[in-house]
Amino acid sequence: LYDTAAAPPPPPAGRSPPRAWGRRAPEAARPPIAPRAQPAPEELEPGRKRRLTRERDPIEARIDLHGFGRFEAEDQLRGFLIGCQMRGLRSVLVITGQGRRGGGIIRASVHEWLTGPDLRGVVSGFAPAHRRHGGDGALYVTLKGR
């Protein structure tokens, strides 16, 4: 009729076989735990940008990236923003310069740097600066709390 020494039937596809209580799956069998995703920085809200433009909210620090190469400027910016956040600052001015005929490498790359994974836990938003603060060659950057 049926053989009692035969192996148990395989588990249905997509399910793992039952395991003994108290035993954990080996490290290689466990799915990796993804870190909590940080939302990407957004455009500053109009009221906040207006207060920064009119200097009702102070610009607490500035960095000028003129004269740096692309990779050096990225490192300087990252270190500056992380340092400002650690000191509890909330709004800073990043001066990139306009580049020759409006096409600077740093100016073109800064948006990518600010929205990248390295600075997602630091930057809450950014917007182009007012003309008196550098216009198209500068950005207001707001920072998250510590």
Side-chain angles (χ1 to χ4, degrees):
L1 307 172
Y2 67 88
D3 186 10
T4 57
R15 294 184 61 184
S16 60
R19 55 189 174 110
W21 288 100
R23 289 193 173 176
R24 298 186 71 180
E27 287 291 327
R30 283 190 233 150
I33 297 172
R36 196 173 94 200
Q38 294 279 341
E42 299 174 357
E43 182 75 19
L44 287 182
E45 61 271 6
R48 176 70 183 226
K49 183 176 178 185
R50 190 177 314 113
R51 288 191 308 271
L52 287 168
T53 299
R54 295 179 180 173
E55 298 178 1
R56 292 202 173 104
D57 280 356
I59 296 172
E60 299 167 310
R62 302 167 193 263
I63 185 171
D64 189 346
L65 299 175
H66 282 103
F68 291 109
R70 182 181 192 276
F71 300 108
E72 195 176 10
E74 182 179 8
D75 293 340
Q76 290 287 327
L77 179 63
R78 185 181 308 116
F80 171 74
L81 293 176
I82 291 170
C84 287
Q85 183 190 36
M86 296 305 287
R87 293 189 330 230
L89 305 182
R90 297 297 300 201
S91 54
V92 298
L93 183 68
V94 176
I95 302 167
T96 61
Q98 293 184 357
R100 294 191 179 146
R101 289 175 258 142
I105 300 271
I106 296 172
R107 180 178 170 210
S109 302
V110 75
H111 183 274
E112 176 186 333
W113 299 340
L114 292 174
T115 57
D118 293 344
L119 294 176
R120 282 201 178 167
V122 178
V123 176
S124 65
F126 58 93
H130 186 271
R131 188 171 168 198
R132 86 178 72 148
H133 293 131
D136 292 337
L139 295 168
Y140 299 123
V141 178
T142 56
L143 306 175
K144 295 179 180 179
R146 285 190 266 176

